Amino acid sequence: MILLWVMSLLLYLAWTVAQLESVLALEIQSQAIQVRYQSEFEKAEALLAHCEDRLKRLLIDESNSVEMDFNFLDLEGCRPKLISNFGNSATPNLNNPQMINIRWIEMEVGQDIRLRSVLRYQITSQQLSRINWQILYE
């Protein structure tokens, strides 16, 4: 009877050790995934900052053109899109003089982790500012 009790205790200890190994393996995998996604997020964030700098230079160089050519930014992984162009419209909004000479641009970057930001460019002062940003989940 004592032998049976000792064997059941040893079996219970073996099961406990197996469960502990399983939990530790899952924790190690979780840490590895977290480190990988953190690294990818930091890369996407750095690319977004780089794209915003390149866009600012493009806007300053071509501030007088009505149509912006964003095609060369696609080669760098930046996907800008002009949302609105109040500065060069034929009929400016006279009810809101602050909206005159403002361009709203949406920028999207990244592959695995994608970031999107909305930028406001004031043509007169040549200031580009980030209004917001978000992570895209799809």
Side-chain angles (χ1 to χ4, degrees):
M1 184 70 165
I2 294 175
L3 185 59
L4 190 59
W5 182 79
V6 170
M7 287 179 64
S8 67
L9 185 62
L10 289 174
L11 187 61
Y12 180 71
L13 288 174
W15 177 82
T16 305
V17 168
Q19 292 299 317
L20 184 59
E21 286 177 351
S22 174
V23 168
L24 287 174
L26 288 174
E27 181 64 28
I28 291 170
Q29 288 176 345
S30 173
Q31 289 291 327
I33 290 170
Q34 184 178 6
V35 166
R36 188 180 87 224
Y37 280 112
Q38 179 69 28
S39 172
E40 289 177 13
F41 177 78
E42 288 172 359
K43 287 178 188 176
E45 196 174 31
L47 180 59
L48 182 61
H50 171 74
C51 290
E52 288 175 358
D53 288 341
R54 296 279 298 174
L55 179 64
K56 183 176 182 176
R57 280 187 252 137
L58 172 71
L59 290 169
I60 290 171
D61 292 342
E62 298 183 17
S63 61
N64 295 329
S65 70
V66 175
E67 289 294 321
M68 298 301 301
D69 182 27
F70 294 136
N71 292 332
F72 84 95
L73 287 173
D74 285 337
L75 300 174
E76 297 178 8
C78 311
R79 294 178 295 279
K81 181 174 75 172
L82 187 64
I83 298 173
S84 64
N85 188 6
F86 294 111
N88 295 320
S89 62
T91 58
N93 185 358
L94 298 177
N95 295 334
N96 192 353
Q98 294 176 345
M99 295 304 287
I100 297 175
N101 295 324
I102 293 178
R103 289 183 180 155
W104 295 92
I105 301 164
E106 183 179 85
M107 177 77 70
E108 187 176 317
V109 299
Q111 295 297 326
D112 294 332
I113 294 181
R114 295 184 0 237
L115 300 177
R116 178 185 297 155
S117 69
V118 175
L119 307 164
R120 182 173 148 239
Y121 178 69
Q122 290 182 310
I123 297 172
T124 54
S125 63
Q126 295 184 337
Q127 287 184 330
L128 182 69
S129 56
R130 184 187 296 175
I131 302 302
N132 67 6
W133 68 273
Q134 66 181 5
I135 300 175
L136 299 177
Y137 299 100
E138 290 180 29

